Amino acid sequence: MLSELLQFLFSGLTVGAMYALAAVGFSLIYSASGVINFAQGEFIMLGGMSAALLVQAGVPLPLAITLAILVAVVAGLIVEKLAIEPAGNAEVVTLVIITIGASLTLRGLVEVFLGKGNHALPAFSGEEPIAILGATLMPQSLWVMGVTLVVVVALALFFGRTTLGKAVLATSCNKLAAQLVGVNTRFVLLLAFGLSAALGAVGGILVAPMTYTSYDAGIMMGLKGFVAAALGGLGSGVGAIVGGLLLGIVEAMTAGYISSAYKDAMPFVLILLILFFLPQGIFGKKTTDRV
Amino acid sequence: MKPTTRGFLFLAFVLAVLPLALPNAYYYDLAIRMAINATIAVGLNLLVGYTGQISLGHAGFFGIGAYASAILTSRYGLPSALAMGLGAAATAALAFVVARPILKLKGNYLAMATLGLGIILSMVIVNETEFTGGPDGMPVDAFSLFGLQIAGEQAWYGVVAVLLLFVTRGALNLIDAPAGRALQAIHGSEVAARVAGIDVPSFKVRVFVLSAVIASVMGSVTAHYVGFLTPGVAGFFHSIELITMVVLGGMASVFGSILGAVVLTLLPQLLSAFEGWETVIFGLILMLTMIFLPRGIVPTLRLKFAGRAA
C-alpha cells in the first residue's frame, strides 16, 4: 500500500521536476514579454535529441550535454531575434501563432536532419535501482530532482542577487519603467529566450535516459510545461515549480490508481478547472485577463 | 452591387465552372477537400476574426461530428442524416456548456483553455478504442438520404460546393446584420460593446456554438466522403491548420478564409516533392504571414487597392 504510493510519488516527482523546468521557462518568457512560447517543448526535444545523437556519434557524455544545451540556446536566440522581435507589439493571437510557427519549423528541421527514429541516452550513473521502503528509485531520478533543485536555487540567486536578474524582474514588472531607468529590455527579452531554452534543454536531457525521445516529443512536453506554468500561475517562478511537481504527481497517481490511458488527459482537465475557477493559478498575481 | 455580393457571385461562378476544368478524380478530391476546409474556416473566422476569440481546439468539434457519424452509422446502423444531426446536436450541446466559462477568458488564457478542450476530445477518441477503433481508425458507411446514396467524387463535389455557398452566404449576411455588428463591436472593445447595450456573453456563446456546429457537420461530411477515420482529424495539428487558414487568408474576411483554405490545402500537395520539409515550410509560412502580413492576404490586398484608389 505505502510502497505503492511511494512508487507513484517518486515517478511523479521525477517527471514533475522536468515539467517544472519547462514551466519556469514559460514563466520567464511570459514575464519578460507577455508571450506564451508554444515552442518551449521543442527546446526540451532539441536538448534530448542532440545529446542522444552526439553520444551515439561517440562524443563523451559531459561534452554532449554541454553541446546539446548550446544547440537549444542558439535555437532560442534565433527564434527571439527572427520571429518575436520583428513582430513588435503585436496582438496576443498573432504572437501565439508566431510561436506555433516557430515550433513547427524547429520540429520539421529536426525531422529532416536527425530523422524520425526514437533515441535514448545512457543513464548518467548506472541503472541499479535503489530500494526505499519497498519502492524503488532509479539513480537517474535522483539526477533529475537534484539538478532541478540546483537550477532553481541558481535562478533564485540570479534574480535576487545580480543586477541583470533584477533587470529581468523590473522588465516583467513594468517594461516602460524599466526602460526609463536604463534597462535594455530588448536584451532582457533575448536573455529570457536563451535562458528558457537552456532550462528546457536541461529537462529534456535529464529525462532522455528514462523515456525515449524523438522529433515529435516536444509537443506533449511543451503543453504539459505550459499547463504546469498556468497551474502555478503564469509569471510566477515559485508557482511554476510547484505547478510542475503537482502536475507530475497528479499524472502519476492518475496512471497508478485510475487509468494509464487517460494520464495524459489529466493535465488538460486540470487546466480547464484551474482556468474556470482560479484563473490566476495558485500563485499568480491577482490582476487577471478576465472580463 | 455590393462588393461582397460581387464576391459571392464570383465564388458561385467558380464553383459552378470548376468541374469543367477538373481532369480526373484526383483534382476532384482536392477541390472537395478545399471546399470542406473553406467552409470550416469561414465558420471559424466568425469566432476568431470577427469576434476576436481565438480557438485552438476546433478540430475537436470536427472530430465529434466525424466520429458521431462513423459510430452511429457503422456500429448502430442509424440513418446517416440522423447520425449527422445527432453529431451536430452533441457538438452544439457541448460547445454551449463550455462556452460561457471558456469565453470569460481572454488572450493567452483563452488560447490555453480551447487548446486543452481540443486535446481532451482527441484523447477520448484515441482511447475509446471500443467505439472509435483507437489509433488504427475505423471505416465509415456511405452517406445515403431517402435511399439515395452519395458516392463518387462528382456527387460529393456538388454537396460540398452547395454547403460552402450556403455557409458563405450565411456568414456574409450575418456580419452585415445587427448581430454581426455586435460581434465586431466585441472584437473592438468588450467594455464599449457592453456600454452600447450588447449582451456580450450571449453573443460570444452563440458565435462559438455556431462555428463549432459548422466544424462538426463538415466532420460528418468528411467522414462519409473519405470512408475511413483516424484520430488525427481531431488532433492538435488539425486545429492549428484550421486557425492558420483563417489567419493566412485574413482575419475578419470571409473570402480570405476561403483563400487561406485553398492555399493550405494545396500546399501539402505541392510540398510532397520536398519530403520532410512540409512541416518546416508550414511553420515558416505561419511566422512570415504573422510578421509581414499580420492582417492576412485578402485584407492586406484590399487596403493596398483602396489606398491606390483614394
Side-chain angles (χ1 to χ4, degrees), chain A residues 19 22-24 26-27 224-236 239-240 243-244 271 281:
Chain A
Y19 295 158
V24 173
F26 268 116
S27 272
K224 286 179 184 170
F226 171 59
V227 171
L231 203 59
L234 273 177
S236 153
I271 191 77

Side-chain angles (χ1 to χ4, degrees), chain A:
Chain A
M1 237 354 245
L2 178 72
S3 65
E4 202 179 59
L5 182 72
L6 207 60
Q7 190 70 61
F8 296 146
L9 195 64
F10 285 159
S11 70
L13 284 172
T14 310
V15 197
M18 191 204 62
Y19 295 158
L21 286 177
V24 173
F26 268 116
S27 272
L28 210 58
I29 292 180
Y30 183 77
S31 304
S33 64
V35 177
I36 293 216
N37 176 27
F38 276 83
Q40 183 69 29
E42 309 308 319
F43 299 144
I44 303 177
M45 178 273 292
L46 215 49
M49 279 291 277
S50 322
L53 281 155
L54 285 167
V55 168
Q56 257 169 35
V59 179
L61 191 63
L63 182 62
I65 291 175
T66 318
L67 287 174
I69 296 174
L70 270 178
V71 168
V73 169
V74 169
L77 297 180
I78 290 176
V79 168
E80 199 283 328
K81 222 41 198 168
L82 297 187
I84 304 296
E85 215 182 277
N89 293 322
E91 272 185 68
V92 172
V93 176
T94 311
L95 289 167
V96 164
I97 291 164
I98 288 178
T99 60
I100 290 175
S103 133
L104 291 176
T105 311
L106 287 175
R107 183 152 69 98
L109 286 173
V110 170
E111 186 187 344
V112 170
F113 290 110
L114 304 180
K116 285 193 171 182
N118 286 327
H119 298 277
L121 206 60
F124 297 177
S125 49
E127 312 248 357
E128 195 65 42
I130 306 157
I132 301 169
L133 296 173
T136 57
L137 186 63
M138 297 302 283
Q140 191 65 26
S141 292
L142 291 176
W143 273 103
V144 180
M145 292 187 254
V147 172
T148 303
L149 190 69
V150 171
V151 168
V152 166
V153 171
L155 277 178
L157 289 175
F158 171 70
F159 286 120
R161 299 284 164 82
T162 65
T163 322
L164 194 55
K166 284 179 179 159
V168 178
L169 288 181
T171 308
S172 78
C173 223
N174 184 334
K175 197 171 170 188
L176 187 63
Q179 276 169 346
L180 287 174
V181 296
V183 173
N184 183 348
T185 49
R186 279 185 134 185
F187 177 72
V188 165
L189 194 53
L190 202 56
L191 182 78
F193 267 85
L195 254 182
S196 78
L199 290 174
V202 168
I205 294 167
L206 287 169
V207 295
M210 313 171 78
T211 52
Y212 282 104
T213 176
S214 67
Y215 77 102
D216 59 353
I219 305 180
M220 251 319 167
M221 303 223 202
L223 290 177
K224 286 179 184 170
F226 171 59
V227 171
L231 203 59
L234 273 177
S236 153
V238 184
I241 293 154
V242 176
L245 295 177
L246 197 64
L247 183 60
I249 294 169
V250 168
E251 216 183 272
M253 297 296 168
T254 310
Y257 293 113
I258 303 172
S259 141
S260 62
Y262 280 107
K263 85 174 170 58
D264 282 335
M266 211 52 216
F268 301 99
V269 174
L270 222 56
I271 191 77
L272 284 178
L273 292 177
I274 283 281
L275 286 174
F276 291 170
F277 298 111
L278 199 70
Q280 67 275 23
I282 302 169
F283 292 95
K285 289 177 220 154
K286 290 283 180 246
T287 51
T288 54
D289 238 4
R290 267 183 103 148
V291 195

Side-chain angles (χ1 to χ4, degrees), chain B residues 149-285:
Chain B
Q149 240 186 38
I150 301 180
E153 274 82 6
Q154 295 190 1
W156 276 112
Y157 176 83
V159 171
V160 295
V162 168
L163 281 173
L164 174 58
L165 284 175
F166 179 72
V167 169
T168 304
R169 189 68 252 177
L172 289 172
N173 286 345
L174 174 69
I175 53 186
D176 269 344
R181 302 279 169 225
L183 296 179
Q184 292 169 66
I186 293 172
H187 190 185
S189 160
E190 281 188 27
V191 177
R194 195 166 291 174
V195 171
I198 295 168
D199 184 355
V200 174
S202 126
F203 271 104
K204 283 205 230 169
V205 168
R206 276 187 272 171
V207 71
F208 187 74
V209 172
L210 177 67
S211 69
V213 167
I214 292 174
S216 168
V217 169
M218 296 321 282
S220 295
V221 168
T222 308
H224 287 296
Y225 165 62
V226 179
F228 194 85
L229 275 184
T230 50
V233 298
F236 177 55
F237 192 72
H238 190 204
S239 288
I240 300 304
E241 278 181 317
L242 294 175
I243 198 100
T244 311
M245 289 169 192
V246 172
V247 164
L248 177 70
M251 305 256 239
S253 161
V254 169
F255 295 109
S257 298
I258 298 173
L259 181 73
V262 167
V263 172
L264 284 173
T265 315
L266 273 179
L267 201 65
Q269 310 296 323
L270 301 176
L271 294 179
S272 58
F274 310 90
E275 207 185 325
W277 287 93
E278 296 103 331
T279 322
V280 179
I281 295 174
F282 205 88
L284 287 175
I285 288 177

Side-chain angles (χ1 to χ4, degrees), chain B residues 92-206:
Chain B
L94 176 71
F96 183 77
V97 169
V98 297
R100 221 164 253 270
I102 276 194
L103 295 172
K104 265 188 193 152
L105 307 162
K106 272 175 63 179
N108 285 319
Y109 294 89
L110 179 64
M112 268 194 280
T114 52
L115 178 145
L117 179 69
I119 293 200
I120 293 169
L121 291 175
S122 92
M123 279 180 184
V124 170
I125 290 174
V126 174
N127 285 321
E128 293 305 318
T129 318
E130 198 188 321
F131 296 102
T132 64
D136 296 334
M138 69 178 293
V140 191
D141 289 351
F143 189 91
S144 62
L145 195 60
F146 308 121
L148 214 71
Q149 240 186 38
I150 301 180
E153 274 82 6
Q154 295 190 1
W156 276 112
Y157 176 83
V159 171
V160 295
V162 168
L163 281 173
L164 174 58
L165 284 175
F166 179 72
V167 169
T168 304
R169 189 68 252 177
L172 289 172
N173 286 345
L174 174 69
I175 53 186
D176 269 344
R181 302 279 169 225
L183 296 179
Q184 292 169 66
I186 293 172
H187 190 185
S189 160
E190 281 188 27
V191 177
R194 195 166 291 174
V195 171
I198 295 168
D199 184 355
V200 174
S202 126
F203 271 104
K204 283 205 230 169
V205 168
R206 276 187 272 171

